[in-house]
């Protein structure tokens, strides 16, 4: 199991996104788990590819998230966004 912590500032940017353009990223929450699998992973990766917070803002974090999603899809696994995990 791979664990990756999304920086709080990046997570806050996701919440501010237009829900019609980024329905998955904009719906991630701090008060519930979000589990994605199969075609949802494709949609999530598509949104991350189109997410542009600004020049040089979180490029490595977005890349890491996309890499983990691709690996999960290849292994037929799910991705869990867990706001309660303490690191």
């Amino acid at each position: 199991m791979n664990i990756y912590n999304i920086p709080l500032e990046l997570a806050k940017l996701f919440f501010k996104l237009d829900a019609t353009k980024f329905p998955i990223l904009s719906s991630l929450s701090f008060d519930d788990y979000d589990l994605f699998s199969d075609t949802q992973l494709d949609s999530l990766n598509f949104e991350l590819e189109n997410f542009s917070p600004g020049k040089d803002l979180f490029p490595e974090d977005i890349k890491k998230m996309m890499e983990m999603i691709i690996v999960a899809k290849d292994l037929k696994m799910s991705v869990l966004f867990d706001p309660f995990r303490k690191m």
Side-chain angles (χ1 to χ4, degrees):
M1 173 172 63
N2 289 327
I3 297 173
Y4 174 70
N5 286 330
I6 299 171
L8 181 59
E9 297 79 22
L10 178 57
K12 287 179 180 179
L13 285 176
F14 290 157
F15 299 132
K16 296 177 183 178
L17 293 172
D18 179 358
T20 57
K21 187 173 180 184
F22 299 97
I24 296 174
L25 290 176
S26 66
S27 70
L28 294 176
S29 72
F30 283 118
D31 56 3
D32 201 3
Y33 299 100
D34 294 293
L35 182 67
F36 301 97
S37 60
D38 197 35
T39 58
Q40 292 173 316
L41 294 175
D42 293 329
S43 298
L44 183 56
N45 234 5
F46 179 78
E47 288 188 25
L48 286 168
E49 286 175 358
N50 291 293
F51 175 67
S52 177
K55 186 177 180 186
D56 299 326
L57 289 177
F58 308 105
E60 291 303 313
D61 296 294
I62 300 296
K63 180 180 175 184
K64 179 71 173 172
M65 290 172 66
M66 292 176 69
E67 288 170 355
M68 291 184 78
I69 291 167
I70 291 168
V71 169
K73 178 112 171 117
D74 289 346
L75 296 174
K76 299 186 183 341
M77 297 179 74
S78 299
V79 171
L80 175 67
F81 287 85
D82 179 358
F84 307 109
R85 179 174 286 282
K86 301 286 187 228
M87 294 303 290

